[in-house]
Amino acid sequence: MPRKPFVPGAALVVAAALAAGLTACTGGSSADDEAGDAKSGGTASSSPAAEPGRYQTLPEACGLPARGTLRGMLPGGDQQLSHAEAKKIYAGQPDITYDTDRRVGCRWTRETTAGTRHLSLDIQRVVSYDAAVSDDDKAQGIYDSKELAAQIPPGGNGSPSPATPSPSATKGRGKGEGATTNSSTGKKGKAASGSPSGASDPSADPSADPSADPSADLSDSTAPRVLDDLGDAAFLNDKLVTADSGVHRDITVVFRTSNVIVTLTYDQWSTDKTMLPESQELQDKARSLAGELAESLSE
């Protein structure tokens, strides 16, 4: 049979087509590989999750204060307690919570003829569900909102409490149920319940507002203020409130340690509106307990 003629041009066309196909396949694979590398690199270069807080659980709140501390904060004067009564008062009443690893609390009450004292603890463990925000930062944000709501003056020195009587308003008071010992200083202080004041005392009038007294001057040591020596951040608030049922002073100490926020509330009530609860004694005992709690949590 006769052979077909060889055509050089046709061979060149076939070779060029094969080369183009191979180039296209190679180029596609390279693009896919680069895209995959880019995705892998993006995952590897993402920011690590924020650090968790120090605390993963919470202690039982009613068991935190020492029995001696509770006796000092809930005095009874000359009133004697039976063993059963003492056990009931100092054991406290736990708050009802649904997750004791996230929030616990406890309350104590002591009623006497001189007035009633209440003590409460609220302990919250903060968890941030944002990978970019640490538990501590989340807790600090919550603490800041509490300080802002309490209108605590910045700087740690504080300013006069608008509802606290002036030194001149307390002048002339006699001794009350007896001297008490400040748990933080060990010095003798005035009776917690206060004493009747003279007729010139503006606080003797239930409608009188102590803040209206131009001589009112509460020292920085007892004014609402930021506390620099308690936990990672802390403040103290002091309010004197007159109600139809009597007068009461409320001391609140809030502090943060890592991702835990502790709120301590301590108040004294008196049905006699001329018997103003003393600020210094209540503050000293509240701060002493707060320090005890901070130390206990850090163990």
Side-chain angles (χ1 to χ4, degrees):
M1 293 181 62
R3 294 182 179 181
K4 293 183 179 181
F6 176 73
V7 183
L12 292 175
V13 171
V14 173
L18 290 173
L22 291 174
T23 301
C25 292
T26 304
S29 300
S30 177
D32 291 341
D33 291 343
E34 290 177 0
D37 291 343
K39 291 179 181 179
S40 299
T43 302
S45 61
S46 61
S47 300
E51 288 293 327
R54 174 180 178 181
Y55 302 97
Q56 302 301 312
T57 59
L58 289 175
E60 196 275 313
C62 292
L64 284 177
R67 178 60 65 91
T69 300
L70 291 174
R71 290 196 192 100
M73 299 185 77
L74 305 170
D78 296 331
Q79 180 181 348
Q80 297 297 321
L81 294 174
S82 66
H83 177 74
E85 290 173 330
K87 183 178 180 180
K88 180 179 179 180
I89 289 175
Y90 299 129
Q93 180 65 39
D95 291 347
I96 298 175
T97 59
Y98 298 98
D99 186 351
T100 55
D101 283 338
R102 292 294 300 275
R103 195 160 205 156
V104 294
C106 192
R107 302 174 186 277
W108 297 263
T109 300
R110 179 77 186 272
E111 297 180 2
T112 69
T113 55
T116 301
R117 294 203 190 190
H118 303 90
L119 171 65
S120 68
L121 292 180
D122 177 79
I123 307 175
Q124 177 185 6
R125 183 175 69 91
V126 179
V127 177
S128 172
Y129 294 101
D130 185 345
V133 179
S134 69
D135 292 347
D136 285 19
D137 289 342
K138 179 71 173 180
Q140 182 64 39
I142 295 174
Y143 167 85
D144 290 341
S145 66
K146 290 178 177 289
E147 184 179 315
L148 182 63
Q151 298 181 336
I152 302 300
N157 292 326
S159 63
S161 171
T164 305
S166 66
S168 62
T170 59
K171 188 181 296 183
R173 294 179 184 171
K175 293 183 179 180
E177 60 176 327
T180 57
T181 301
N182 293 337
S183 58
S184 63
T185 62
K187 298 180 180 179
K188 294 292 183 179
K190 295 182 180 180
S193 60
S195 302
S197 58
S200 61
D201 186 351
S203 63
D205 180 2
S207 63
D209 181 1
S211 63
D213 183 358
S215 63
D217 181 20
L218 185 65
S219 68
D220 287 342
S221 64
T222 55
R225 62 200 180 277
V226 171
L227 302 176
D228 297 326
D229 56 351
L230 180 63
D232 297 318
F235 71 83
L236 179 148
N237 203 7
D238 184 331
K239 291 184 178 180
L240 184 66
V241 181
T242 300
D244 293 339
S245 57
V247 61
H248 60 97
R249 183 178 294 281
D250 303 335
I251 307 297
T252 303
V253 177
V254 179
F255 70 89
R256 177 185 73 83
T257 173
S258 185
N259 61 319
V260 165
I261 298 175
V262 178
T263 301
L264 183 162
T265 304
Y266 183 42
D267 63 69
Q268 179 181 345
W269 286 72
S270 174
T271 55
D272 186 348
K273 296 180 182 179
T274 67
M275 306 277 283
L276 300 181
E278 295 290 342
S279 178
Q280 188 69 63
E281 188 245 351
L282 294 177
Q283 285 196 24
D284 285 346
K285 291 185 175 182
R287 288 198 61 183
S288 179
L289 175 57
E292 182 181 314
L293 295 174
E295 183 176 351
S296 178
L297 288 171
S298 64
E299 291 177 354

